[in-house]
Amino acid sequence: MAQCRLTDFFARRRPGLRAKPTRTKPAWRTPSPAKTAPRAPAPGPGSGRKRARSPAEPTRDEPAPPARRRLRLPANAVSGPSSPAAAGSPEYSSPQSKKTKKAPLSASQRPCLAAQEDEDKVPSKVTLSELASCLQRAQELGARVQELKASAQKNAGEPSAPEDKGHPAGLCGEQMPAYQRFHALAQPGPPGLVLPYKYQVLAEMFRSMDTIVSMLYNRSETVTFTKVKQGVQDMMHKRFEERNVGQIKTVYPGSYRFRQEHYIPTFKDGVRRSDYQLTIEPLLDQQAGSAAPRLTASHLLQRRQVFTQKLVARVREHHRAFLASLNPPMEVPEDQLTRWHPRFNVDEVPDVEPAELPQPPTVEKLASAQEVLARARSLMSPRMEKALSDLAQRTAQPSSPQSPSPALPTTPPATSPAALKGVSQALLERVRAKEAQKQLAQMTRRPEQELRLQRLERLPELARVLRSVFVSERKPALTMEVACARMVGSYRAAMSPGEMEKHVQLLSELLPNWLSLHRIRTDTYVKLDKAADLAGVMAQLARLARAEEAL
């Protein structure tokens, strides 16, 4: 029995010999009442004690062998009816199929089988139609996206191609990253005359370029753009092109002298000695009768400061134009300007236009057969001359006039916001004038005044903390050291005792009737009027802070 089952299993595993009907587990416990299993013949007189059993007849209580369970195939592994190992095939039929014959299909089962066969054939057609519809839908969506992009570019008035060929174009439809657009807002420390991100990158490029040039210049080596480019890119990990050198020349024209020279010794395979290269020479003040100047560290620091000041001057010009465009227009003296206008977006300042660098001299090159013929007419044989003349006649065609470049769409003028309905024009003018005055005071405020205003904003809270210290200590006066130590421990922000002492002195200066300082020998004592109304004291301090901020 085991040999028969193994043969049946390997035959069914072959790719071309699989049967459609699944092998179902025979009914061991409930035999069919219509057809009983044949009984074994009675033992004869000469037979043994054990009864002979049919090899294909299992007993009720005997479980199936583990080998048969392992070799039983799943239902989806059996091939279709077209396989030669079908149920009717005598070669690959199992013993169970030999024993029991299948009943013929009834009339109600035949339509179901036909419908099942039709369902097996339909999915391929449905799948092809669905793929065709999906492809058509994708093409329609792509055309719609192209139309939307074209309309968006037309409305925004932006050219499709970058205007500056030397500047690397960004990704289509994307704006600058946030760390560049909001670079000025993320600077540490108090606000001031902060440079845009691209200007700071340009200043860092100038510093790196000056460092590389000083190293090459001090050892009397010819400074070429190729050497400087590699050194700056290694220092900054950013691309450094001739466009950046042109920007540096625009900002600081007196920093370098640029020339195109050839026959410069190079050690590269791709550069020949006869090729022209851009050379860079730093411009230094040379005294009469002195040796050749050297680019020292003090020179580098001074040149870096000059370059930064020139960048700030360029931003000042754009800021001045922005102030003139306000309503009402504002004018701030340059020596009093300490910070930019709150609505002036520093990072949107236009980029520096690169200056023109010396270009290598143009060498006349022969581009057509007619030019070659005119040059070497005396050096060629008559046959070659005739061939070249024929080629020149065939290739000579009237050049098509160049199509004029499409004019760039002009940006529509910015429309002013609509006036508020129901508000008088005089009130709007007063509000705008007051806001302009406040912004002017904020832009011209000095660092000392800014520090005093910060202390004034903390005084109402510190007055409450100081009164709580006096109430808890139950003393009419405290030394400055003890009072400041208690206030530092009770205040919500971290502050040093020395800074807290300055706040207490400012508090006694503004409210001498409520808080007084007494110098006795080497100590300073603080005396507080605990009977005064604390709410009135805090309101008075807030009023003083607002009044000084408006100045």
Side-chain angles (χ1 to χ4, degrees):
M1 178 177 68
Q3 184 64 26
C4 181
R5 296 292 181 181
L6 285 172
T7 305
D8 185 20
F9 170 74
F10 286 110
R12 291 175 182 272
R13 291 295 292 174
R14 292 175 61 184
L17 303 174
R18 295 183 181 177
K20 171 66 179 178
T22 60
R23 292 185 57 194
T24 58
K25 185 175 180 180
W28 304 109
R29 300 184 181 276
T30 57
S32 176
K35 184 179 181 180
T36 57
R39 295 183 179 181
S47 62
R49 296 181 179 180
K50 292 185 178 181
R51 182 181 59 172
R53 294 180 179 178
S54 173
E57 179 185 3
T59 59
R60 289 186 179 181
D61 300 331
E62 181 181 1
R68 285 182 65 181
R69 285 201 298 268
R70 281 200 305 271
L71 296 179
R72 183 177 292 115
L73 296 177
N76 56 2
V78 184
S79 61
S82 61
S83 173
S89 176
E91 181 180 356
Y92 298 102
S93 59
S94 62
Q96 184 67 21
S97 62
K98 292 179 180 179
K99 180 179 177 181
T100 60
K101 296 182 180 179
K102 284 188 176 181
L105 294 175
S106 61
S108 61
Q109 292 178 353
R110 290 175 183 173
C112 297
L113 182 58
Q116 184 177 3
E117 293 178 354
D118 293 338
E119 289 178 0
D120 294 341
K121 298 178 182 179
V122 168
S124 63
K125 299 181 180 179
V126 175
T127 305
L128 291 177
S129 61
E130 289 180 355
L131 288 176
S133 61
C134 290
L135 180 59
Q136 183 179 2
R137 180 61 176 168
Q139 292 177 354
E140 294 177 358
L141 292 178
R144 179 61 177 167
V145 168
Q146 295 295 335
E147 294 177 0
L148 292 178
K149 285 185 178 180
S151 61
Q153 290 182 359
K154 184 177 181 181
N155 295 334
E158 297 179 355
S160 58
E163 297 179 359
D164 192 359
K165 296 182 180 179
H167 185 68
L171 297 178
C172 180
E174 295 186 2
Q175 57 183 354
M176 293 190 304
Y179 74 91
Q180 294 184 14
R181 287 185 285 118
F182 307 106
H183 174 263
L185 301 178
Q187 296 304 305
L193 301 179
V194 184
L195 289 175
Y197 175 78
K198 46 193 172 185
Y199 281 20
Q200 290 196 4
V201 172
L202 187 61
E204 187 67 19
M205 286 183 177
F206 176 77
R207 185 191 67 83
S208 304
M209 178 179 175
D210 233 16
T211 304
I212 301 299
V213 169
S214 65
M215 294 171 58
L216 300 175
Y217 179 77
N218 290 339
R219 60 191 184 200
S220 302
E221 185 176 346
T222 304
V223 184
T224 62
F225 172 72
T226 306
K227 301 176 184 178
V228 175
K229 176 182 178 180
Q230 186 62 36
V232 173
Q233 291 184 162
D234 291 343
M235 291 179 65
M236 295 191 59
H237 301 285
K238 293 180 180 293
R239 293 181 61 86
F240 185 71
E241 304 292 343
E242 290 190 10
R243 178 179 181 275
N244 305 120
V245 179
Q247 291 177 334
I248 291 174
K249 184 180 179 181
T250 302
V251 176
Y252 194 1
S255 57
Y256 299 104
R257 181 187 292 112
F258 302 96
R259 290 193 297 265
Q260 286 285 347
E261 299 180 6
H262 61 298
Y263 294 108
I264 298 175
T266 56
F267 302 96
K268 292 187 177 181
D269 297 335
V271 181
R272 297 176 298 179
R273 290 176 59 90
S274 60
D275 293 343
Y276 281 88
Q277 299 187 49
L278 180 64
T279 59
I280 305 171
E281 180 185 356
L283 297 177
L284 302 174
D285 297 334
Q286 182 177 3
Q287 299 179 359
S290 61
R294 299 178 64 85
L295 200 55
T296 59
S298 59
H299 287 104
L300 295 179
L301 183 59
Q302 181 182 2
R303 290 160 62 92
R304 182 182 179 185
Q305 292 176 354
V306 171
F307 190 83
T308 305
Q309 292 173 3
K310 289 181 177 296
L311 287 177
V312 173
R314 296 181 67 89
V315 182
R316 283 176 184 268
E317 295 177 1
H318 295 285
H319 183 257
R320 192 184 307 112
F322 172 79
L323 294 180
S325 64
L326 294 177
N327 185 17
M330 300 174 60
E331 185 176 356
V332 184
E334 295 295 335
D335 56 345
Q336 298 181 7
L337 185 65
T338 58
R339 69 182 65 188
W340 308 121
H341 192 275
R343 288 185 295 179
F344 177 64
N345 196 342
V346 185
D347 293 300
E348 288 187 358
V349 173
D351 206 350
V352 179
E353 292 295 332
E356 293 185 2
L357 298 176
Q359 299 297 327
T362 57
V363 181
E364 186 179 359
K365 296 182 179 180
L366 304 177
S368 63
Q370 192 171 2
E371 295 178 0
V372 174
L373 180 62
R375 282 296 186 89
R377 187 178 298 274
S378 60
L379 304 177
M380 292 183 297
S381 62
R383 296 180 62 182
M384 186 179 296
E385 182 179 354
K386 183 179 179 181
L388 284 176
S389 61
D390 295 342
L391 179 62
Q393 291 177 2
R394 286 197 304 268
T395 57
Q397 296 177 358
S399 57
S400 59
Q402 296 181 355
S403 60
S405 59
L408 299 178
T410 58
T411 306
T415 59
S416 59
L420 297 176
K421 295 183 179 180
V423 181
S424 63
Q425 192 67 22
L427 178 59
L428 288 176
E429 293 296 335
R430 287 199 302 270
V431 170
R432 289 171 181 169
K434 188 175 181 181
E435 183 181 1
Q437 182 181 2
K438 182 178 179 181
Q439 292 172 353
L440 178 63
Q442 185 178 2
M443 287 188 292
T444 57
R445 190 176 297 150
R446 299 191 176 277
E448 298 82 6
Q449 298 175 354
E450 186 70 24
L451 185 60
R452 180 180 174 84
L453 284 177
Q454 291 179 0
R455 291 175 181 172
L456 286 174
E457 292 176 357
R458 301 191 193 106
L459 286 186
E461 183 70 16
L462 289 177
R464 184 186 62 80
V465 173
L466 182 59
R467 187 179 183 280
S468 302
V469 170
F470 270 89
V471 170
S472 62
E473 292 291 337
R474 297 182 180 179
K475 293 181 180 179
L478 294 174
T479 60
M480 180 68 76
E481 183 180 358
V482 174
C484 291
R486 298 291 189 275
M487 293 176 69
V488 167
S490 301
Y491 190 55
R492 58 184 178 181
M495 193 179 301
S496 62
E499 184 67 20
M500 185 63 70
E501 183 177 351
K502 294 179 181 179
H503 285 77
V504 174
Q505 291 176 357
L506 181 60
L507 192 59
S508 64
E509 178 185 346
L510 296 177
L511 299 177
N513 297 330
W514 183 68
L515 182 67
S516 58
L517 302 180
H518 302 276
R519 182 76 178 179
I520 301 176
R521 293 194 182 97
T522 58
D523 295 335
T524 302
Y525 287 85
V526 182
K527 190 174 181 179
L528 180 70
D529 185 10
K530 293 185 288 186
D533 185 15
L534 181 61
V537 171
M538 295 177 65
Q540 186 177 358
L541 290 174
R543 187 166 54 253
L544 290 174
R546 288 195 300 269
E548 190 155 350
E549 185 179 1
L551 294 178

